[in-house]
């Protein structure tokens, strides 16, 4: 019931927007070539399900693989920067500058340098999702109360033990917040890479539909992309809940 009350406003608002969209397209007699109605988009999605399915699977595979690899790299980098403040001061401006590169310019370069295989798409996902996860972890590490640190230091705990017992548990909430942000970026980055050049995926499907002046198919692919993103977020939420018990136990142990 709590979950239902939480999502009910979103469902009602989305339903109202779709209804207004449907009524506008019907009453104003808008051409489907310009703005297809939601019912037209859903019908096209059903008709094209066998074609769009493999493209969606390709996109979610690349996004998940790149996102998972990014999480590993970001965690390793966060540990290195946490234990080396001078390295953090030197690298953070460069990492911030890397986020100013437009995705629309970066995707074609990745295809140009590494071809049309899996590597350029995965690299693009890593580059886009790495920074939010890293920043969220470093922000979480900095939230440890000084009393925890003083207590462990007084007990002659080594730096790694302090990090494992106090710093990591306190960074959990920030970590999952960064994961949710990066998860949405992973799907977008994958589609951009596919749009720039790929053999399969929602990006190449959208490009083909656009060149055929099929706005309904473009929007159908957008619907699938949104569903993939929501599914990835739901998985992260499930993982967060499953690990919550262990986190509470570790936090109590620190106290």
């Amino acid at each position: 019931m709590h979950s239902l009350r939480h999502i009910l406003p979103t469902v009602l608002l989305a339903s109202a927007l779709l209804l207004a969209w449907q009524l506008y397209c019907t009453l104003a007699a808008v051409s489907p070539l310009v703005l297809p109605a939601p019912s037209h988009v859903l019908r096209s999605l059903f008709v094209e399900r066998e074609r769009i399915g493999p493209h969606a699977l390709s996109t979610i595979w690349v996004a998940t693989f790149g996102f998972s690899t990014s999480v590993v790299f970001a965690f390793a980098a966060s540990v290195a920067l946490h234990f080396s403040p001078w390295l953090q001061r030197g690298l953070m401006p460069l990492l911030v500058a890397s986020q100013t590169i437009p995705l629309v310019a970066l995707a074609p370069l990745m295809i140009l340098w590494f071809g049309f295989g899996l590597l350029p798409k995965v690299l693009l996902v890593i580059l886009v999702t790495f920074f939010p996860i890293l920043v969220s972890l470093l922000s979480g590490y900095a939230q440890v109360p000084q009393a925890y640190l003083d207590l462990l230091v007084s007990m002659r705990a080594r730096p790694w033990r302090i990090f494992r017992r106090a710093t990591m548990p306190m960074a959990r909430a920030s970590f999952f917040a960064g994961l949710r942000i990066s998860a949405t970026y992973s799907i977008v980055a994958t589609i951009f890479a596919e749009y720039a050049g790929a053999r399969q995926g929602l990006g190449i499907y959208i490009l083909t539909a656009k060149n055929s002046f099929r706005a309904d198919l473009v929007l159908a692919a957008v619907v699938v992309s949104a569903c993939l993103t929501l599914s990835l977020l739901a998985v992260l939420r499930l993982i967060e809940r499953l690990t919550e018990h262990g986190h509470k136990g570790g936090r109590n142990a620190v106290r």
Side-chain angles (χ1 to χ4, degrees):
M1 291 299 296
H2 176 73
S3 300
L4 181 60
R5 288 194 300 268
H6 183 71
I7 66 173
L8 185 59
T10 303
V11 173
L12 293 177
L13 180 59
S15 301
L17 291 175
L18 290 175
L19 180 60
W21 179 5
Q22 180 71 37
L23 290 176
Y24 173 75
C25 292
T26 303
L27 298 177
V30 180
S31 172
L33 295 177
V34 178
L35 180 64
S39 58
H40 190 181
V41 174
L42 292 178
R43 183 168 61 250
S44 299
L45 179 59
F46 178 78
V47 172
E48 287 282 309
R49 64 188 185 279
E50 293 185 358
R51 283 189 56 202
I52 202 172
H55 290 286
L57 290 176
S58 177
T59 296
I60 192 63
W61 156 245
V62 173
T64 304
F65 181 71
F67 177 66
S68 302
T69 307
S70 179
V71 172
V72 175
F73 287 164
F75 176 74
S78 70
V79 174
L81 296 181
H82 175 73
F83 283 103
S84 181
W86 67 269
L87 184 62
Q88 181 174 343
R89 290 192 298 269
L91 282 182
M92 284 306 294
L94 299 178
L95 293 174
V96 172
S98 70
Q99 300 304 299
T100 63
I101 302 175
L103 190 61
V104 67
L106 192 59
L109 290 177
M110 286 293 175
I111 300 299
L112 180 64
W113 293 337
F114 301 105
F116 293 91
L118 178 65
L119 180 60
K121 295 189 283 290
V122 171
L123 288 177
L124 187 65
V125 173
I126 292 174
L127 289 174
V128 171
T129 60
F130 175 83
F131 186 75
I133 301 175
L134 176 65
V135 171
S136 65
L137 283 170
L138 293 177
S139 177
Y141 297 160
Q143 294 175 6
V144 183
Q146 189 62 39
Y148 285 11
L149 300 177
D150 293 340
L151 175 62
L152 291 173
V153 170
S154 67
M155 298 172 63
R156 297 181 180 180
R158 295 182 178 275
W160 177 252
R161 186 176 181 84
I162 295 176
F163 178 78
R164 186 169 59 88
R165 286 297 186 93
T167 307
M168 283 183 60
M170 284 297 172
R172 180 179 180 275
S174 297
F175 174 57
F176 276 100
L179 287 182
R180 287 190 290 270
I181 295 173
S182 294
T184 59
Y185 290 165
S186 65
I187 300 294
V188 175
T190 303
I191 292 177
F192 258 105
E194 295 167 345
Y195 194 89
R199 297 182 179 90
Q200 195 172 37
L202 288 178
I204 196 66
Y205 183 87
I206 292 174
L207 180 61
T208 303
K210 178 185 72 69
N211 293 337
S212 302
F213 300 98
R214 292 293 303 273
D216 56 330
L217 297 184
V218 173
L219 292 176
V222 171
V223 171
V224 174
S225 172
C227 292
L228 294 180
T229 302
L230 292 175
S231 300
L232 190 55
L233 291 175
V235 171
L236 291 176
R237 180 59 179 167
L238 178 61
I239 294 174
E240 185 177 9
R241 287 188 175 184
L242 291 176
T243 58
E244 188 173 6
H245 177 73
H247 165 70
K248 290 181 178 179
R251 185 173 56 187
N252 293 333
V254 173
R255 291 177 177 175

Coordinates of all heavy atoms in Angstrom, one line a residue, residues 59 190-192 194-195 200-208:
T59 N 20.5 -3.0 -26.9 CA 20.8 -1.7 -26.1 C 20.9 -2.0 -24.6 O 21.8 -1.5 -24.0 CB 19.6 -0.7 -26.4 OG1 19.6 -0.4 -27.7 CG2 19.8 0.5 -25.5
T190 N 24.2 4.8 -24.6 CA 24.2 3.7 -25.5 C 23.4 4.0 -26.8 O 23.9 3.8 -27.9 CB 23.5 2.5 -24.8 OG1 24.2 2.2 -23.6 CG2 23.6 1.3 -25.7
I191 N 22.3 4.7 -26.6 CA 21.5 5.0 -27.8 C 22.2 6.1 -28.7 O 22.2 6.0 -29.9 CB 20.1 5.6 -27.4 CG1 19.3 4.4 -26.8 CG2 19.3 6.2 -28.5 CD1 17.9 4.9 -26.2
F192 N 22.9 7.0 -28.0 CA 23.7 8.0 -28.8 C 24.8 7.3 -29.6 O 25.0 7.6 -30.7 CB 24.3 9.0 -27.8 CG 23.6 10.3 -27.8 CD1 22.7 10.7 -26.8 CD2 23.7 11.2 -28.9 CE1 22.0 11.9 -26.8 CE2 23.0 12.4 -28.9 CZ 22.2 12.8 -27.9
E194 N 24.8 4.2 -30.6 CA 24.2 3.4 -31.7 C 23.7 4.3 -32.8 O 23.8 4.0 -34.0 CB 23.1 2.6 -31.1 CG 23.5 1.5 -30.1 CD 22.3 0.9 -29.4 OE1 21.2 1.5 -29.4 OE2 22.5 -0.1 -28.7
Y195 N 23.2 5.5 -32.4 CA 22.8 6.4 -33.4 C 23.9 6.9 -34.3 O 23.8 7.2 -35.5 CB 22.1 7.6 -32.7 CG 21.3 8.5 -33.6 CD1 19.9 8.3 -33.8 CD2 21.9 9.7 -34.1 CE1 19.2 9.1 -34.6 CE2 21.1 10.5 -34.9 CZ 19.8 10.2 -35.2 OH 19.0 11.0 -35.9
Q200 N 23.1 -2.7 -34.6 CA 21.9 -3.1 -34.0 C 21.7 -2.3 -32.7 O 22.7 -1.9 -32.1 CB 21.8 -4.6 -33.6 CG 20.5 -5.1 -33.3 CD 20.5 -6.6 -33.1 OE1 21.4 -7.2 -32.7 NE2 19.4 -7.3 -33.6
G201 N 20.5 -2.0 -32.3 CA 20.2 -1.2 -31.1 C 19.1 -0.2 -31.4 O 18.8 0.1 -32.5
L202 N 18.6 0.3 -30.3 CA 17.5 1.3 -30.4 C 18.0 2.6 -31.2 O 17.2 3.2 -31.8 CB 17.0 1.7 -29.0 CG 16.2 0.6 -28.3 CD1 15.8 1.1 -26.9 CD2 15.0 0.2 -29.1
G203 N 19.3 2.9 -31.0 CA 19.8 4.1 -31.7 C 19.7 3.9 -33.2 O 19.2 4.9 -33.9
I204 N 20.1 2.8 -33.8 CA 20.1 2.6 -35.2 C 18.6 2.4 -35.7 O 18.2 2.8 -36.8 CB 20.9 1.4 -35.6 CG1 21.2 1.4 -37.1 CG2 20.3 0.1 -35.2 CD1 22.0 2.6 -37.6
Y205 N 17.8 1.9 -34.8 CA 16.3 1.7 -35.1 C 15.7 3.1 -35.2 O 14.9 3.4 -36.1 CB 15.6 0.9 -34.0 CG 14.2 0.6 -34.3 CD1 13.8 -0.5 -35.1 CD2 13.2 1.5 -33.8 CE1 12.4 -0.7 -35.3 CE2 11.9 1.2 -34.0 CZ 11.5 0.2 -34.8 OH 10.2 -0.1 -35.1
I206 N 16.0 4.0 -34.3 CA 15.5 5.4 -34.3 C 16.0 6.1 -35.6 O 15.2 6.8 -36.2 CB 15.9 6.1 -33.1 CG1 15.2 5.6 -31.8 CG2 15.6 7.6 -33.2 CD1 15.6 6.2 -30.5
L207 N 17.2 5.9 -35.9 CA 17.8 6.5 -37.1 C 17.0 6.1 -38.4 O 16.7 6.9 -39.3 CB 19.3 6.3 -37.2 CG 20.0 6.9 -38.4 CD1 19.9 8.4 -38.4 CD2 21.4 6.4 -38.5
T208 N 16.8 4.8 -38.5 CA 16.1 4.2 -39.6 C 14.7 4.7 -39.7 O 14.2 5.1 -40.8 CB 16.1 2.7 -39.6 OG1 17.5 2.2 -39.5 CG2 15.4 2.1 -40.8

